[in-house]
Amino acid sequence: MKIARLLLLSIISLALIAAPADARVVRVEILSRSDITGTFGSAGTYERITGRVYFAFDPKNPENRKIVDLDLAPRNPNGEVEAVSEFVMLRPKDPAHSADLAVIDIVNRGGITTFIFNLGRTGAASPDDAEFYGDALLMKRGVTIVALGWQWDVLPGGSALHFQAPPVGSPEHPITGLVRSDITVDSATNSIPLWHSLAPTLIYPVADENDPANILTMREDPVGPRTVVPRADWRFARDSSGVAVHDTRWIYMSKGFTPGRIYEIVYRGKNPVVVGTGLAAVRDMMSYLKYDPSAAAHVRYGIGYGVSQTGRFIRHFLYQGFNTDEKGRVAFDGFFVHTGGAGRGSFNHRFAQPSRDAQPYSTFFYPTDVFPFASLPTRDPITGQRAGLRDNLHGSSGTKVFYVDGGHEYWGRAASLTHTTPDGKQDVGFLPTERRYVISSAQHSSPASWPLPEAARIANTNAYRGDPLDQRLALRALMSSLIDWVALKKEPPPSVYPKLGPGDLVRAADLKFPQIPDLPVARIPNQPYRMNFGPRWSQGIIDREPPTLGAPYPVFVSRVDSVGNEQGGIRSIEILVPLATYYPWLLRTGVPAATDRLVSFRGTFIPLPRTEAERRASGDSRPSIEMLYGNRAQFLKRVDDGISSLIARRLLLADDSTAARDRMVDAWARYGLITK
């Protein structure tokens, strides 16, 4: 939808909330407003508001000069660049019951993410029904939640939240540049998309289908040699029931793409947008809520939450110093950076593709895992660079930050680089305003569904695809602590993460796994490299696609115990009193190539042998349930003791003790001793 059309809609809208221009939120347009049935503890009734936010950015303002290409975008009569975002707001209807704090949900690919903090959600319910929100942890505290679109390439339509970024250049003066797309082909096909494999997105148009810069290559390994596919063998088209249909969003080969190969297309694109205005929009929305008394939900404190892609977004936001608005005021008082690993991302350069990341065996060599990684300054011994992620503390010296990862981020997101030196020899700490927590053995972002279906079993093994460790319980406790730190100045628990010094971190090749019958183990984590994107990369322009690779960075993973579960982090009740091994990684079994590499995001679940006889017969080196506990009563005593210890350390909410115990009772019924 064009900005002009959005402006027209705003004129005819029945409900407008004006905001002063110096808040940089020009106005807020309310499209719907409804009470949510039911109540939320002492916060009472909530209302759900949907609408659009209209932004204006002054290219001359020092806080906006970091936005790449902002000065090349069209301007309004005031000399400002405009953008529009969609939002959903959940707020206490009675301001007297508000916690005076807002959490901005920096939505992941248009989807709301803060619901991970809710237990007992009913997905079939309407968002206007309290059942939709389960136990509504944040809402019962009176927190205002604002989900905000910021990503320009989310497809129109559906329930996703969108962001209209300003264009760069004009039809009379088009801007072109190199755009790259890659895909790992695991099954026979005649056409592959130019967007990221996670989900369809908008893409930059092809400037000229016959441009010699448009090159398709094939390779068998991420760092292997590329073979150029002859131009006569492929075209911009897609397969439609066996017929090639012209489509510049796809690549088509009549003879098909070979399963097991990595294909990469570099083409000359046109019509970029100012992607970095998404960062500024998040900043200015928080400033609007804090500093405009007439805001739709005026609050004193603000926390930003991001998971996976948007966890990396926050790291990028902090690195580039976006936490100061155009008037020099602090935007966010806290951030919860969830499963961002060591990454930043494609959030503020020309022809940036925000959905691109860096996964174990796809989306290779985008500007995601780039130096610096650690908050405190470190020196890269190869390039000679010395820098830290938080070198730019302008506007965020007092901002509280939680970096929260799972075990998967050490395998799939190079998370060890966030707290080790680039030579891999020393631990690196954090700022006093930061904490780091790692949930041992957790897969990426959220647990697998429980119980795991039999269809998830890996053939000829006792293992399952998916790691059901319920990391939500730790996340709820941590978010509660961050809110208390920001609003009540209450110190949070000390950081809990694996380190080199105590021997918690090891190279994956040296990790000593237990012997589990018929189950190969992971040895190759996601490997980041030093990358050269060309001479103008410091200006936010890529001239070299694909980038030239330099030396790899050393990465480490967590040491495991005799069961195979990780040490050095927050050991949830499933790990303290184990009935299974929870690996935060899953191998690419059953595909044509690279079966020793990792599946993105997912883990592996392997129940323990029930009895000593079963253990000896199978050759499993892990202790049996019989040996560990003897009977159900002893098991539950260990569970209760473990829950008490987690609550004492403030890594589990006391209110969640029943949920934690019930999960373990259910796990015993499924995997514990049958007769005891």
Side-chain angles (χ1 to χ4, degrees), residues 274-356:
V274 188
V275 179
T277 52
L279 293 156
V282 170
R283 172 199 70 190
D284 289 351
M285 186 62 176
M286 190 69 256
S287 286
Y288 160 72
L289 295 173
K290 285 178 61 177
Y291 300 115
D292 183 356
S294 66
H298 183 51
V299 296
R300 182 178 180 185
Y301 303 107
I303 291 174
Y305 173 73
V307 56
S308 189
Q309 175 207 41
T310 49
R312 293 185 291 104
F313 177 101
I314 295 173
R315 285 174 54 84
H316 203 112
F317 185 101
L318 291 169
Y319 174 68
Q320 294 197 322
F322 270 94
N323 203 35
T324 306
D325 69 14
E326 289 187 5
K327 296 193 72 174
R329 301 170 301 194
V330 174
F332 287 90
D333 305 287
F335 284 107
F336 195 110
V337 183
H338 184 197
T339 59
R344 299 203 301 275
S346 298
F347 307 129
N348 190 23
H349 65 265
R350 186 176 294 176
F351 288 108
Q353 303 174 74
S355 281
R356 300 286 180 181

Coordinates of all heavy atoms in Angstrom, one line a residue, residues 274-356:
V274 N 14.4 2.6 2.4 CA 15.2 3.0 3.6 C 14.9 2.0 4.7 O 14.0 2.3 5.6 CB 14.9 4.5 4.0 CG1 15.9 4.9 5.1 CG2 15.0 5.4 2.8
V275 N 15.5 0.9 4.7 CA 15.2 -0.2 5.7 C 15.4 0.3 7.1 O 14.7 -0.1 8.0 CB 16.1 -1.4 5.3 CG1 15.8 -2.5 6.3 CG2 15.8 -1.9 3.9
G276 N 16.5 1.1 7.3 CA 16.8 1.5 8.7 C 15.7 2.4 9.4 O 15.8 2.6 10.6
T277 N 14.7 2.9 8.6 CA 13.7 3.6 9.3 C 12.9 2.7 10.2 O 12.2 3.2 11.1 CB 12.7 4.3 8.3 OG1 12.3 3.3 7.3 CG2 13.4 5.4 7.5
G278 N 13.0 1.4 10.0 CA 12.3 0.4 10.9 C 12.9 0.6 12.3 O 12.2 0.5 13.3
L279 N 14.2 0.7 12.4 CA 14.9 0.9 13.7 C 14.4 2.2 14.3 O 14.1 2.3 15.5 CB 16.4 1.0 13.5 CG 17.1 -0.4 13.1 CD1 18.4 -0.1 12.4 CD2 17.3 -1.3 14.3
A280 N 14.4 3.3 13.5 CA 13.9 4.6 14.1 C 12.5 4.6 14.5 O 12.1 5.2 15.4 CB 14.2 5.7 13.0
A281 N 11.6 3.8 13.8 CA 10.2 3.7 14.1 C 10.0 3.1 15.5 O 9.2 3.6 16.3 CB 9.5 2.9 13.1
V282 N 10.8 2.0 15.8 CA 10.7 1.4 17.1 C 11.2 2.4 18.2 O 10.5 2.5 19.2 CB 11.6 0.1 17.1 CG1 11.7 -0.4 18.5 CG2 11.0 -0.9 16.2
R283 N 12.2 3.1 17.9 CA 12.7 4.1 18.8 C 11.6 5.2 19.1 O 11.3 5.5 20.3 CB 14.0 4.8 18.2 CG 14.5 6.0 19.0 CD 15.4 6.8 18.1 NE 14.6 7.5 17.0 CZ 15.2 8.2 16.0 NH1 16.5 8.2 15.9 NH2 14.5 8.8 15.1
D284 N 11.1 5.7 18.0 CA 10.1 6.8 18.2 C 8.8 6.4 18.8 O 8.1 7.2 19.4 CB 10.0 7.5 16.9 CG 11.2 8.3 16.4 OD1 12.1 8.4 17.3 OD2 11.3 8.7 15.3
M285 N 8.4 5.2 18.6 CA 7.2 4.7 19.2 C 7.3 4.7 20.7 O 6.4 5.1 21.5 CB 6.8 3.3 18.7 CG 5.4 2.8 19.2 SD 4.1 3.9 18.6 CE 2.6 3.0 19.2
M286 N 8.5 4.2 21.2 CA 8.7 4.2 22.6 C 8.8 5.6 23.2 O 8.2 5.9 24.2 CB 10.0 3.4 22.9 CG 10.2 3.1 24.4 SD 9.0 1.9 25.0 CE 7.9 2.9 25.9
S287 N 9.5 6.5 22.5 CA 9.5 7.9 22.9 C 8.1 8.5 23.0 O 7.8 9.3 23.9 CB 10.4 8.7 22.0 OG 11.8 8.4 22.2
Y288 N 7.3 8.2 22.0 CA 6.0 8.8 22.0 C 5.2 8.3 23.2 O 4.5 9.1 23.9 CB 5.3 8.3 20.7 CG 3.8 8.3 20.7 CD1 3.0 9.5 20.7 CD2 3.1 7.1 20.8 CE1 1.7 9.5 20.7 CE2 1.7 7.1 20.8 CZ 1.0 8.3 20.7 OH -0.4 8.2 20.7
L289 N 5.3 7.0 23.6 CA 4.6 6.5 24.7 C 5.1 7.1 26.0 O 4.3 7.4 27.0 CB 4.7 5.0 24.8 CG 4.0 4.2 23.6 CD1 4.4 2.7 23.7 CD2 2.5 4.4 23.6
K290 N 6.4 7.4 26.1 CA 7.0 7.9 27.3 C 6.8 9.4 27.5 O 6.6 9.9 28.6 CB 8.4 7.6 27.4 CG 8.7 6.1 27.7 CD 10.2 5.8 27.8 CE 11.0 6.6 28.8 NZ 12.4 6.2 28.8
Y291 N 6.9 10.2 26.4 CA 7.1 11.6 26.5 C 5.9 12.4 26.1 O 5.8 13.6 26.3 CB 8.3 12.1 25.8 CG 9.6 11.4 26.3 CD1 10.3 10.6 25.5 CD2 10.0 11.7 27.6 CE1 11.5 10.0 26.0 CE2 11.2 11.1 28.1 CZ 11.9 10.2 27.3 OH 13.0 9.6 27.8
D292 N 4.9 11.8 25.4 CA 3.7 12.5 25.0 C 2.6 12.2 26.0 O 2.0 11.1 26.0 CB 3.3 12.1 23.6 CG 2.1 12.9 23.1 OD1 1.6 13.7 23.8 OD2 1.8 12.7 21.9
P293 N 2.2 13.2 26.8 CA 1.1 12.9 27.8 C -0.2 12.5 27.1 O -1.1 11.9 27.8 CB 1.0 14.3 28.5 CG 2.3 14.9 28.3 CD 2.7 14.5 26.9
S294 N -0.4 12.9 25.8 CA -1.7 12.5 25.2 C -1.6 11.2 24.4 O -2.5 10.8 23.7 CB -2.1 13.6 24.2 OG -1.2 13.7 23.1
A295 N -0.5 10.4 24.6 CA -0.3 9.2 23.9 C -1.4 8.2 24.2 O -2.1 8.3 25.3 CB 1.1 8.6 24.3
A296 N -1.6 7.3 23.3 CA -2.7 6.3 23.4 C -2.5 5.5 24.7 O -3.5 5.0 25.3 CB -2.7 5.4 22.2
A297 N -1.3 5.4 25.2 CA -1.0 4.7 26.5 C 0.3 5.4 27.0 O 1.4 5.0 26.7 CB -0.8 3.2 26.3
H298 N 0.1 6.4 27.8 CA 1.2 7.1 28.4 C 1.8 6.4 29.5 O 1.1 5.9 30.5 CB 0.8 8.5 28.8 CG 1.9 9.4 29.3 ND1 3.1 9.6 28.6 CD2 2.1 10.1 30.5 CE1 3.9 10.3 29.3 NE2 3.3 10.7 30.4
V299 N 3.2 6.1 29.5 CA 3.8 5.3 30.5 C 5.1 6.0 30.9 O 5.6 6.9 30.2 CB 4.2 3.9 30.0 CG1 2.9 3.1 29.7 CG2 5.1 3.9 28.8
R300 N 5.7 5.6 32.0 CA 7.0 6.1 32.5 C 8.2 5.3 32.0 O 9.2 5.9 31.7 CB 7.0 6.2 34.0 CG 8.2 6.8 34.6 CD 8.1 6.8 36.1 NE 9.3 7.4 36.7 CZ 9.5 7.5 38.0 NH1 8.6 7.1 38.9 NH2 10.6 8.1 38.5
Y301 N 8.0 4.0 31.9 CA 9.1 3.1 31.5 C 8.8 2.3 30.3 O 7.6 2.0 30.0 CB 9.4 2.1 32.7 CG 9.7 2.7 34.0 CD1 8.8 2.7 35.0 CD2 10.9 3.4 34.2 CE1 9.0 3.3 36.3 CE2 11.2 4.0 35.4 CZ 10.3 3.9 36.4 OH 10.5 4.5 37.7
G302 N 9.8 1.9 29.6 CA 9.6 1.1 28.4 C 10.7 0.0 28.2 O 11.9 0.3 28.5
I303 N 10.2 -1.2 27.8 CA 11.1 -2.3 27.6 C 10.8 -2.8 26.2 O 9.7 -2.9 25.8 CB 10.8 -3.4 28.6 CG1 11.3 -3.0 30.0 CG2 11.5 -4.8 28.2 CD1 10.9 -4.0 31.1
G304 N 11.9 -3.2 25.5 CA 11.8 -3.8 24.2 C 12.0 -5.3 24.2 O 13.0 -5.7 24.9
Y305 N 11.1 -6.0 23.6 CA 11.3 -7.5 23.5 C 11.5 -7.9 22.1 O 10.7 -7.5 21.2 CB 10.1 -8.2 24.2 CG 10.2 -9.7 24.0 CD1 11.1 -10.5 24.7 CD2 9.4 -10.4 23.0 CE1 11.2 -11.8 24.6 CE2 9.5 -11.7 22.9 CZ 10.4 -12.5 23.6 OH 10.5 -13.8 23.5
G306 N 12.5 -8.7 21.9 CA 12.7 -9.3 20.5 C 13.2 -10.7 20.7 O 14.0 -11.1 21.6
V307 N 12.8 -11.6 19.7 CA 13.1 -13.0 19.8 C 13.7 -13.4 18.4 O 13.1 -13.1 17.4 CB 12.0 -13.9 20.2 CG1 10.8 -13.7 19.3 CG2 12.4 -15.4 20.2
S308 N 14.8 -14.1 18.4 CA 15.4 -14.6 17.2 C 15.8 -13.5 16.3 O 16.6 -12.6 16.6 CB 14.5 -15.6 16.5 OG 15.1 -16.3 15.4
Q309 N 15.1 -13.3 15.1 CA 15.3 -12.2 14.2 C 15.3 -10.8 15.0 O 16.2 -10.0 14.8 CB 14.3 -12.2 13.1 CG 14.4 -11.0 12.2 CD 13.1 -10.6 11.6 OE1 12.0 -10.6 12.2 NE2 13.1 -10.3 10.3
T310 N 14.3 -10.6 15.8 CA 14.2 -9.4 16.5 C 15.1 -9.2 17.7 O 15.3 -8.1 18.2 CB 12.7 -9.0 16.8 OG1 12.1 -10.1 17.4 CG2 12.0 -8.7 15.5
G311 N 15.6 -10.4 18.3 CA 16.6 -10.3 19.2 C 17.9 -9.8 18.6 O 18.6 -8.9 19.2
R312 N 18.2 -10.2 17.4 CA 19.3 -9.6 16.6 C 19.0 -8.2 16.3 O 20.0 -7.3 16.3 CB 19.5 -10.4 15.3 CG 20.0 -11.9 15.6 CD 20.4 -12.6 14.3 NE 19.2 -12.9 13.5 CZ 18.9 -12.3 12.4 NH1 19.6 -11.3 11.9 NH2 17.8 -12.6 11.7
F313 N 17.8 -7.8 16.0 CA 17.4 -6.4 15.7 C 17.8 -5.6 16.9 O 18.4 -4.5 16.7 CB 15.9 -6.4 15.5 CG 15.3 -5.0 15.3 CD1 15.0 -4.6 14.0 CD2 15.0 -4.2 16.4 CE1 14.4 -3.3 13.8 CE2 14.5 -2.9 16.2 CZ 14.1 -2.5 14.9
I314 N 17.5 -6.0 18.1 CA 17.9 -5.2 19.3 C 19.4 -5.0 19.4 O 19.9 -4.0 19.7 CB 17.3 -5.8 20.6 CG1 15.8 -5.8 20.6 CG2 17.8 -5.1 21.8 CD1 15.1 -6.5 21.7
R315 N 20.1 -6.1 19.2 CA 21.6 -6.0 19.2 C 22.1 -5.0 18.2 O 23.0 -4.2 18.5 CB 22.2 -7.4 19.0 CG 22.2 -8.3 20.2 CD 22.7 -9.7 19.8 NE 24.0 -9.7 19.3 CZ 25.1 -9.7 20.0 NH1 25.1 -9.7 21.3 NH2 26.3 -9.7 19.4
H316 N 21.5 -5.0 17.0 CA 21.8 -4.0 16.0 C 21.4 -2.6 16.5 O 22.2 -1.6 16.3 CB 21.1 -4.4 14.7 CG 21.7 -3.8 13.5 ND1 22.3 -4.6 12.5 CD2 21.8 -2.6 13.0 CE1 22.7 -3.9 11.5 NE2 22.4 -2.6 11.8
F317 N 20.3 -2.5 17.0 CA 19.8 -1.2 17.5 C 20.7 -0.6 18.6 O 21.1 0.6 18.5 CB 18.4 -1.5 18.2 CG 17.6 -0.3 18.7 CD1 16.6 0.2 17.9 CD2 17.9 0.2 19.9 CE1 15.8 1.3 18.4 CE2 17.1 1.3 20.4 CZ 16.1 1.8 19.7
L318 N 21.2 -1.4 19.5 CA 22.1 -1.0 20.5 C 23.5 -0.6 19.9 O 24.1 0.4 20.2 CB 22.3 -2.0 21.6 CG 21.0 -2.2 22.5 CD1 21.2 -3.5 23.3 CD2 20.8 -1.0 23.3
Y319 N 24.0 -1.5 19.0 CA 25.3 -1.2 18.4 C 25.3 0.1 17.6 O 26.3 0.8 17.7 CB 25.6 -2.4 17.4 CG 26.9 -2.2 16.6 CD1 28.1 -2.2 17.3 CD2 26.8 -2.0 15.3 CE1 29.3 -2.0 16.6 CE2 28.0 -1.8 14.5 CZ 29.2 -1.8 15.2 OH 30.4 -1.6 14.5
Q320 N 24.3 0.4 16.9 CA 24.3 1.6 16.1 C 23.7 2.8 16.9 O 23.6 3.9 16.3 CB 23.5 1.4 14.8 CG 24.1 0.4 13.9 CD 23.6 0.5 12.5 OE1 22.4 0.7 12.3 NE2 24.5 0.3 11.5
G321 N 23.5 2.7 18.2 CA 23.1 3.8 19.0 C 21.8 4.4 18.7 O 21.6 5.7 18.7
F322 N 20.8 3.6 18.5 CA 19.4 4.1 18.2 C 18.6 4.5 19.4 O 17.4 4.8 19.2 CB 18.7 3.1 17.3 CG 18.9 3.3 15.8 CD1 19.9 2.6 15.1 CD2 18.1 4.2 15.1 CE1 20.1 2.8 13.8 CE2 18.3 4.4 13.7 CZ 19.3 3.7 13.1
N323 N 19.1 4.3 20.6 CA 18.2 4.5 21.7 C 18.1 6.0 22.2 O 17.6 6.2 23.3 CB 18.7 3.7 22.9 CG 17.6 3.3 23.9 OD1 16.5 3.1 23.5 ND2 18.0 3.3 25.2
T324 N 18.5 6.9 21.4 CA 18.2 8.3 21.6 C 17.4 8.9 20.5 O 17.7 8.7 19.4 CB 19.6 9.1 21.7 OG1 20.5 8.4 22.6 CG2 19.4 10.5 22.1
D325 N 16.3 9.5 20.9 CA 15.4 10.1 19.9 C 15.9 11.4 19.4 O 17.0 11.9 19.7 CB 13.9 10.2 20.4 CG 13.8 11.2 21.5 OD1 14.7 12.1 21.7 OD2 12.7 11.2 22.2
E326 N 15.1 12.0 18.5 CA 15.5 13.3 17.8 C 15.8 14.4 18.8 O 16.5 15.4 18.5 CB 14.5 13.7 16.7 CG 14.5 12.7 15.5 CD 13.7 13.2 14.4 OE1 13.1 14.4 14.5 OE2 13.5 12.5 13.4
K327 N 15.2 14.4 20.0 CA 15.4 15.4 20.9 C 16.4 15.1 22.0 O 16.6 15.8 23.0 CB 14.0 15.7 21.6 CG 13.0 16.3 20.7 CD 11.8 16.9 21.4 CE 12.2 18.2 22.1 NZ 11.0 18.9 22.7
G328 N 17.1 14.0 21.8 CA 18.2 13.6 22.7 C 17.7 12.8 23.9 O 18.5 12.7 24.9
R329 N 16.5 12.3 23.9 CA 15.9 11.7 25.1 C 16.1 10.1 25.0 O 16.0 9.6 23.9 CB 14.4 12.0 25.2 CG 14.1 13.5 25.3 CD 12.7 13.8 25.2 NE 12.1 13.4 24.0 CZ 10.9 13.8 23.5 NH1 10.2 14.6 24.3 NH2 10.5 13.4 22.4
V330 N 16.2 9.5 26.1 CA 16.4 8.0 26.1 C 15.0 7.4 25.8 O 14.0 7.8 26.3 CB 16.8 7.6 27.5 CG1 16.8 6.0 27.6 CG2 18.2 8.1 27.9
A331 N 15.0 6.5 24.8 CA 13.8 5.8 24.4 C 13.5 4.6 25.4 O 12.6 4.7 26.2 CB 13.9 5.3 23.0
F332 N 14.3 3.6 25.3 CA 14.0 2.4 26.1 C 14.8 2.4 27.4 O 16.0 2.7 27.4 CB 14.4 1.1 25.3 CG 13.4 0.8 24.2 CD1 13.6 1.3 22.9 CD2 12.3 0.0 24.4 CE1 12.7 1.1 21.9 CE2 11.4 -0.3 23.4 CZ 11.6 0.3 22.1
D333 N 14.2 1.9 28.4 CA 14.8 1.7 29.7 C 15.4 0.3 29.9 O 16.1 0.0 30.8 CB 13.8 2.0 30.9 CG 13.2 3.4 30.7 OD1 14.0 4.4 31.0 OD2 12.1 3.5 30.3
G334 N 14.9 -0.6 29.1 CA 15.3 -2.0 29.2 C 15.1 -2.8 27.9 O 14.2 -2.4 27.1
F335 N 15.8 -3.9 27.7 CA 15.6 -4.7 26.5 C 15.8 -6.2 27.0 O 16.6 -6.5 27.8 CB 16.7 -4.5 25.4 CG 16.5 -3.3 24.6 CD1 17.3 -2.1 24.8 CD2 15.5 -3.2 23.7 CE1 17.1 -1.0 24.0 CE2 15.3 -2.1 22.9 CZ 16.1 -1.0 23.1
F336 N 14.9 -7.0 26.4 CA 15.0 -8.5 26.6 C 15.4 -9.0 25.2 O 14.5 -9.1 24.3 CB 13.6 -9.0 27.1 CG 13.7 -10.4 27.6 CD1 13.5 -10.6 29.0 CD2 13.9 -11.5 26.8 CE1 13.5 -11.9 29.5 CE2 13.9 -12.8 27.3 CZ 13.7 -13.0 28.7
V337 N 16.6 -9.4 25.1 CA 17.2 -9.9 23.8 C 17.1 -11.5 23.9 O 17.9 -12.1 24.5 CB 18.6 -9.5 23.6 CG1 19.1 -9.9 22.2 CG2 18.7 -7.9 23.7
H338 N 16.1 -12.0 23.2 CA 15.9 -13.5 23.3 C 16.4 -14.2 22.1 O 16.0 -13.9 20.9 CB 14.4 -13.7 23.5 CG 14.0 -15.1 23.7 ND1 12.7 -15.5 23.6 CD2 14.7 -16.2 24.1 CE1 12.6 -16.8 23.8 NE2 13.8 -17.3 24.1
T339 N 17.2 -15.2 22.3 CA 17.8 -16.0 21.2 C 18.4 -15.2 20.0 O 18.2 -15.6 18.9 CB 16.8 -17.1 20.7 OG1 15.6 -16.5 20.2 CG2 16.4 -18.0 21.9
G340 N 19.1 -14.2 20.3 CA 19.7 -13.4 19.3 C 21.1 -13.9 19.0 O 21.7 -13.6 18.0
G341 N 21.7 -14.8 19.9 CA 23.0 -15.3 19.7 C 24.0 -14.2 19.6 O 23.9 -13.1 20.2
A342 N 25.0 -14.4 18.7 CA 26.0 -13.3 18.5 C 25.6 -12.4 17.3 O 26.5 -11.6 16.9 CB 27.3 -14.0 18.2
G343 N 24.4 -12.5 16.8 CA 24.1 -11.8 15.5 C 23.6 -10.4 15.7 O 23.1 -10.0 16.7
R344 N 23.7 -9.7 14.5 CA 23.0 -8.5 14.2 C 22.2 -8.9 13.0 O 21.6 -9.9 12.9 CB 23.9 -7.3 14.1 CG 24.7 -7.1 15.4 CD 25.2 -5.7 15.5 NE 26.1 -5.2 14.4 CZ 27.4 -5.4 14.4 NH1 28.0 -6.1 15.3 NH2 28.1 -4.9 13.4
G345 N 22.2 -8.0 12.0 CA 21.4 -8.4 10.8 C 21.3 -7.3 9.7 O 21.9 -6.3 9.8
S346 N 20.5 -7.7 8.7 CA 20.2 -6.8 7.5 C 19.1 -5.8 7.8 O 18.0 -5.9 7.3 CB 19.9 -7.7 6.3 OG 20.9 -8.6 6.0
F347 N 19.4 -4.9 8.7 CA 18.4 -3.9 9.2 C 18.7 -2.5 8.9 O 17.9 -1.6 9.1 CB 18.3 -4.1 10.7 CG 18.1 -5.5 11.2 CD1 18.9 -6.0 12.2 CD2 17.1 -6.2 10.7 CE1 18.7 -7.3 12.6 CE2 16.8 -7.5 11.1 CZ 17.6 -8.1 12.1
N348 N 19.9 -2.2 8.3 CA 20.2 -0.8 8.0 C 21.3 -0.7 6.9 O 22.3 0.0 7.2 CB 20.6 -0.1 9.3 CG 20.7 1.4 9.1 OD1 20.1 2.0 8.2 ND2 21.4 2.1 10.0
H349 N 21.1 -1.3 5.8 CA 22.0 -1.0 4.7 C 21.2 -1.0 3.4 O 20.0 -1.4 3.3 CB 23.2 -2.0 4.6 CG 22.8 -3.4 4.4 ND1 22.6 -4.3 5.4 CD2 22.6 -4.1 3.2 CE1 22.3 -5.5 4.9 NE2 22.3 -5.4 3.5
R350 N 21.8 -0.6 2.3 CA 21.1 -0.5 1.0 C 20.8 -1.9 0.5 O 21.7 -2.7 0.5 CB 21.9 0.3 0.0 CG 21.2 0.5 -1.3 CD 22.0 1.4 -2.2 NE 22.2 2.8 -1.7 CZ 22.9 3.7 -2.3 NH1 23.6 3.4 -3.4 NH2 23.0 4.9 -1.8
F351 N 19.6 -2.1 0.1 CA 19.1 -3.4 -0.4 C 19.2 -4.5 0.7 O 19.4 -5.7 0.5 CB 19.9 -3.9 -1.6 CG 19.6 -3.2 -2.9 CD1 20.5 -2.3 -3.4 CD2 18.4 -3.3 -3.5 CE1 20.2 -1.5 -4.6 CE2 18.1 -2.6 -4.7 CZ 19.0 -1.7 -5.2
A352 N 19.0 -4.0 1.9 CA 18.9 -5.0 3.1 C 17.7 -5.8 3.0 O 16.6 -5.4 2.6 CB 19.0 -4.2 4.4
Q353 N 17.9 -7.1 3.4 CA 16.8 -8.1 3.4 C 16.6 -8.5 4.9 O 17.3 -9.4 5.3 CB 17.1 -9.3 2.5 CG 17.3 -8.9 1.1 CD 17.8 -10.1 0.2 OE1 16.9 -11.0 -0.1 NE2 19.1 -10.2 -0.1
P354 N 15.7 -7.9 5.7 CA 15.7 -8.2 7.1 C 15.4 -9.7 7.5 O 15.8 -10.1 8.6 CB 14.5 -7.3 7.6 CG 14.4 -6.2 6.6 CD 14.8 -6.9 5.3
S355 N 14.8 -10.4 6.6 CA 14.5 -11.8 6.9 C 15.7 -12.7 6.8 O 15.7 -13.9 7.3 CB 13.4 -12.4 6.1 OG 12.1 -12.0 6.6
R356 N 16.8 -12.3 6.1 CA 18.0 -13.1 5.9 C 18.7 -13.1 7.3 O 18.8 -12.2 8.0 CB 18.9 -12.5 4.9 CG 18.3 -12.4 3.5 CD 18.2 -13.7 2.8 NE 17.6 -13.6 1.5 CZ 17.3 -14.7 0.7 NH1 17.6 -15.9 1.1 NH2 16.8 -14.5 -0.5

